[in-house]
Amino acid sequence: MKVVLVSTYDLGHQPFGLASPAAWLKKAGHEVTCADTAIGSLPSLPIREADLVAIWLPMHTATRLAVQVIEQIRLLNPAAHLCCYGLYAPMNAEYLRALGVRTILGGEFEQALLDLANGWNGPGALTQIAPVISLDRLQFIPPDRSGLPALSRYSKLRANGTPKRVGYTEASRGCKHLCRHCPVVPVYNGVFRVVQQDVVLEDIRRQVASGAEHITFGDPDFFNGPTHARRIVEALHAEFPAITYDVTIKIEHLLNRRDLLPVLRETGCLFVISAVESVEDEVLRKLDKGHTRADFIQAAGEFRSAGLTLAPTFIAFTPWTTRQGYCDLLGIIADLDLIESVSPIQLALRLLIPAGSRLLELEEIRQIAGPFDPAGLIHRWQHRDPEMDDLASRALKLVNGAQRQNRRRREIFRDLWRLAHDAPIYENFDLMPRATIPYMDEPWYC
């Protein structure tokens, strides 16, 4: 069977969501083409010849971009069976089916994709046989990245002014936690699944052979399985002591497992991304984040003591954000010397309410959320204070324009400070030089 796997956007990483199922499908004898439209164009000939075209939807931006790709695919090959898989596929199943998508897969998708391909008996014969969401425990195999663009074409790590080639892998999926705003929750609902250690290490080994100098672990939370995580990074460092890496870990886990911070430092962790989201306790409670403002401040201190870099992420604009609260957020970032550690887009993001979001459990959200907008793939909302919507719009415009001009983070932060306070800056930010903070040069986030 001829299969085309398509990714539209994966945060500047070589898509694991293509490489992993490609390995499963090729092992079973299927002919697989991988297409990353974030890097290149949709390949016309393989699409025209395909029996199955499966599109990887790991996030909101990828899903919006996929709508255009689906239109192109249907024009090129109306007979192809269309499948969408990944976190955002089940959440938007009704809309995707209206676009002509016939199979929707979420959760652990590799076996389901293989079963779909194995069911081919000629044009038009494919039908969805797997559940929309599967949380089965899979025995993984090493991803096959041979059909993807080279790592050199993806985003780079910038450390001390030097670009480093970045690989990407996943040691686990899903999450034990139920944060209201998180897109993982509607699919996994508190469940997480590990990728076997030997598979993770072999995937890294192959990427290092292809030139990777740094590895991003894309797990929703690397410390959902702390023993599994520790074994992997210790084995990674033992085999490749010069390879660095980054991970994503909740503030709650960073404090509960502070004993593992030295392990991260000693095994080559350059920075830890943590979804702080807000510095207001009431907002954190509504989001069900599991940490407080004080916890964030404490974690930042623990990181300084451990010699690690914390890269916090935020949802700067929520229905509960006030101008004073936004100014407070900027103030804490400055006080904790984190200006250079925060990607500017984090200070302009607006809360998204996707289909199936736990945010809709809150009466105050239901009161302001409009009906689901298929084109935007969200429930749109307006702040009760129109000035806050205006501030959010101006902040996003400022950040987007500044990043296109490749301006430095400290400069963008100063402009946001001026915008929020509507006054000249009198504070003297004692900022660390930009080159000393490691960061990925991919500017977007969701």
Side-chain angles (χ1 to χ4, degrees):
M1 180 185 191
K2 294 183 177 181
V3 183
V4 178
L5 301 176
V6 181
S7 173
T8 60
Y9 177 68
D10 209 354
L11 279 175
H13 300 127
Q14 193 184 62
F16 183 93
L18 265 56
S20 182
W24 288 59
L25 291 162
K26 288 181 181 180
K27 185 178 180 180
H30 298 288
E31 183 179 331
V32 180
T33 299
C34 292
D36 187 350
T37 60
I39 297 295
S41 58
L42 196 68
S44 297
L45 182 59
I47 293 292
R48 288 193 177 97
E49 296 179 345
D51 305 299
L52 168 63
V53 181
I55 306 170
W56 166 236
L57 304 180
M59 62 191 72
H60 182 261
T61 300
T63 308
R64 293 193 66 177
L65 292 171
V67 173
Q68 302 170 25
V69 171
I70 289 170
E71 293 175 0
Q72 296 177 52
I73 293 168
R74 295 193 67 192
L75 287 172
L76 289 169
N77 186 350
H81 184 97
L82 289 182
C83 168
C84 285
Y85 64 102
L87 284 178
Y88 272 75
M91 295 164 61
N92 298 287
E94 183 178 352
Y95 177 57
L96 293 169
R97 290 190 191 281
L99 296 176
V101 177
R102 295 171 61 190
T103 295
I104 303 291
L105 301 172
E108 306 301 280
F109 52 80
E110 284 88 349
Q111 184 66 56
L113 268 175
L114 178 59
D115 291 344
L116 179 64
N118 286 344
W120 183 73
N121 290 309
L126 288 180
T127 57
Q128 176 155 358
I129 56 178
V132 170
I133 295 176
S134 170
L135 301 181
D136 291 347
R137 287 182 170 86
L138 302 182
Q139 179 61 50
F140 290 91
I141 60 176
D144 185 332
R145 301 174 181 276
S146 60
L148 289 167
L151 291 178
S152 59
R153 299 187 63 189
Y154 291 89
S155 63
K156 305 292 191 301
L157 173 82
R158 304 286 172 170
N160 294 319
T162 303
K164 298 179 73 173
R165 196 169 297 177
V166 178
Y168 175 94
T169 195
E170 295 177 3
S172 66
R173 293 174 174 165
C175 187
K176 293 180 177 180
H177 300 271
L178 300 172
C179 304
R180 289 190 194 277
H181 61 297
C182 179
V184 176
V185 173
V187 174
Y188 282 89
N189 196 31
V191 173
F192 97 107
R193 295 285 181 252
V194 301
V195 181
Q196 291 77 25
Q197 179 177 327
D198 61 327
V199 174
V200 178
L201 293 174
E202 178 59 23
D203 186 28
I204 293 172
R205 195 174 291 123
R206 294 178 183 183
Q207 292 183 79
V208 171
S210 296
E213 303 165 277
H214 177 91
I215 298 294
T216 289
F217 286 94
D219 309 41
D221 194 299
F222 198 59
F223 276 4
N224 267 321
T227 301
H228 177 60
R230 178 174 189 163
R231 288 171 178 167
I232 286 174
V233 297
E234 288 181 336
L236 167 62
H237 186 64
E239 186 171 355
F240 301 109
I243 297 296
T244 56
Y245 66 91
D246 68 89
V247 295
T248 298
I249 304 174
K250 283 173 64 72
I251 292 293
E252 177 182 357
H253 285 167
L254 291 173
L255 293 179
N256 290 342
R257 295 309 308 265
R258 56 172 57 85
D259 59 302
L260 292 180
L261 296 187
V263 174
L264 294 177
R265 183 190 65 240
E266 292 160 8
T267 55
C269 182
L270 279 190
F271 59 93
V272 175
I273 299 168
S274 192
V276 177
E277 314 300 31
S278 175
V279 296
E280 298 181 63
D281 284 337
E282 182 62 16
V283 175
L284 291 169
R285 185 188 64 78
K286 292 177 188 296
L287 296 179
D288 205 3
K289 279 300 298 178
H291 70 261
T292 65
R293 172 192 182 102
D295 291 336
F296 166 47
I297 294 171
Q298 182 180 351
E302 297 273 358
F303 264 64
R304 282 194 298 271
S305 298
L308 285 166
T309 296
L310 182 66
T313 63
F314 299 97
I315 303 172
F317 294 97
T318 74
W320 310 286
T321 304
T322 63
R323 182 179 289 271
Q324 180 181 353
Y326 186 68
C327 291
D328 182 44
L329 170 63
L330 299 180
I332 282 191
I333 291 171
D335 290 343
L336 296 178
D337 291 331
L338 290 172
I339 293 173
E340 295 290 357
S341 298
V342 178
S343 174
I345 193 61
Q346 297 301 322
L347 303 176
L349 289 177
R350 201 168 187 268
L351 181 69
L352 296 181
I353 308 177
S357 173
R358 282 195 64 220
L359 287 164
L360 294 168
E361 296 173 0
L362 300 175
E363 175 61 28
E364 56 197 304
I365 291 294
R366 292 197 298 270
Q367 288 179 0
I368 64 169
F372 183 70
D373 175 13
L377 301 175
I378 55 172
H379 293 270
R380 298 190 182 277
W381 60 271
Q382 290 184 322
H383 200 286
R384 289 186 173 87
D385 180 356
E387 289 189 6
M388 290 308 302
D389 283 337
D390 179 63
L391 178 60
S393 177
R394 292 166 65 194
L396 183 60
K397 182 177 180 180
L398 187 159
V399 170
N400 284 339
Q403 289 186 153
R404 283 194 295 269
Q405 298 168 16
N406 200 29
R407 295 179 60 205
R408 296 180 301 171
R409 287 185 176 185
R410 71 182 69 186
E411 295 172 341
I412 302 173
F413 186 88
R414 288 178 186 276
D415 287 348
L416 286 170
W417 183 282
R418 185 180 296 112
L419 176 67
H421 291 79
D422 197 24
I425 298 175
Y426 298 104
E427 286 73 9
N428 180 24
F429 299 124
D430 183 17
L431 302 177
M432 191 179 300
R434 178 72 174 97
T436 66
I437 302 294
Y439 69 102
M440 296 294 296
D441 61 12
E442 169 63 35
W444 201 244
Y445 180 68
C446 60

